[in-house]
Amino acid sequence: MSINAIFDVAGSAMSAQSIRLNTVASNLANAQTASSSIGQTFRARHPVFAPLYQDQLGAGGTAQGDAQAGVPVLGIVESDAPLQPRYEPHHPLADAQGYVYYPNVNVVEEMADMISASRSFQINVQVVEAAKTLAQRVLALGQ
Amino acid sequence: MAINFNAALGVHEQALLVRERRAGVLAANLANADTPHFQARDLDFQALIRQAAGEQDGPRLRATQARHIGAGAPAIAGDLLYRTPMQPTLDGNTVDADIEMAQFARNSLDFQASLTFLQGKFRGLRSALKGE
């Protein structure tokens, strides 16, 4: 029954969005974490959702294949944006030249990402609610 | 005339199945609203129902040679189609959450309507069988 597949699809989407929220939370929490070298500095992290090439190109797009098109998370990548060196010679972590390195977290971008992730999560919750109603109606059929 | 259980439910049985399938497709669209390169898909409900009812839409070309292309397959009705994007995003995603949500809500309503019709059919059958 494909109503059951809806729960799987929406569930995987919710888990993907919660991973996204998780990375946003850790990025924001570490936005001001200074360090004394470039290598040790925290970098902004973002999840990569899988594009469904397989479904679009192969197998002619059957209903079953598409209905089970969840949202796999390929992995979490670190941002390549440049870090922020700041001249703070009195900082306890300052290096020999007096620089401290701050993460490349763009707080505005993270906030926008957070809103987008929570909205997407809500949409999937609504889908699950609707699917639940439909399944209950089907079970009550003929009574 | 014998009671034919296959014909008793009419097109509603097929409609219910198509709507169930469509709910799955729309749910997948909504789930992938943030997936790069995902293309929103949908089913052509009318074509599927017409197909289920055994109707042909329009005249068909007859394939008189094995190398004729596409004749005899008038509609890609059973297949999933791609939605025409209103505003595709930069990452190649064509899911518009508002449109999909509206379609999903409407599909759920239609699904419940089909269920109500089926319920009525069953009630009718039952009273016919009881003969009271």
Side-chain angles (χ1 to χ4, degrees), chain B residues 56-61 70-77:
Chain B
Q56 295 180 0
D57 34 354
R60 292 192 189 186
L61 293 177
I76 41 171

Side-chain angles (χ1 to χ4, degrees), chain B residues 73-95:
Chain B
I76 41 171
D79 289 345
L80 285 167
L81 309 174
Y82 289 98
R83 199 186 292 297
T84 310
M86 302 273 247
Q87 17 181 6
T89 53
L90 280 177
D91 60 5
N93 185 304
T94 64
V95 178

Side-chain angles (χ1 to χ4, degrees), chain A:
Chain A
M1 199 167 96
S2 78
I3 285 189
N4 285 335
I6 295 178
F7 291 110
D8 296 342
V9 168
S12 81
M14 285 194 279
S15 99
Q17 297 296 347
S18 70
I19 287 176
R20 196 167 154 214
L21 265 180
N22 242 317
T23 57
V24 167
S26 94
N27 289 347
L28 286 175
N30 286 294
Q32 297 298 325
T33 311
S35 96
S36 53
S37 76
I38 289 182
Q40 290 172 353
T41 311
F42 179 87
R43 288 170 182 273
R45 287 164 193 203
H46 298 110
V48 179
F49 293 169
L52 292 164
Y53 286 127
Q54 215 166 19
D55 175 65
Q56 284 157 17
L57 299 179
T62 58
Q64 281 72 28
D66 203 76
Q68 285 161 6
V71 187
V73 178
L74 280 188
I76 294 173
V77 293
E78 292 192 334
S79 168
D80 284 339
L83 300 170
Q84 306 171 27
R86 287 187 203 159
Y87 184 65
E88 292 177 1
H90 301 298
H91 197 289
L93 289 172
D95 62 4
Q97 283 81 39
Y99 280 100
V100 191
Y101 297 92
Y102 282 92
N104 54 357
V105 175
N106 184 340
V107 177
V108 178
E109 205 176 279
E110 297 298 333
M111 291 303 283
D113 220 25
M114 183 188 80
I115 294 169
S116 164
S118 72
R119 285 282 177 273
S120 301
F121 193 93
Q122 286 173 13
I123 284 178
N124 283 291
V125 171
Q126 284 181 22
V127 168
V128 169
E129 290 278 339
K132 196 181 77 182
T133 312
L134 294 188
Q136 281 172 343
R137 288 287 309 264
V138 172
L139 288 176
L141 182 66
Q143 284 179 2

Side-chain angles (χ1 to χ4, degrees), chain A residues 3 133-142, chain B residues 12 16 19 108-123:
Chain A
I3 285 189
T133 312
L134 294 188
Q136 281 172 343
R137 288 287 309 264
V138 172
L139 288 176
L141 182 66
Chain B
H12 300 303
L16 196 70
R19 279 168 174 150
S108 308
L109 213 63
D110 291 345
F111 185 91
Q112 303 209 15
S114 284
L115 271 180
T116 310
F117 288 137
L118 274 179
Q119 192 106 34
K121 293 275 185 189
F122 282 129
R123 211 172 291 133

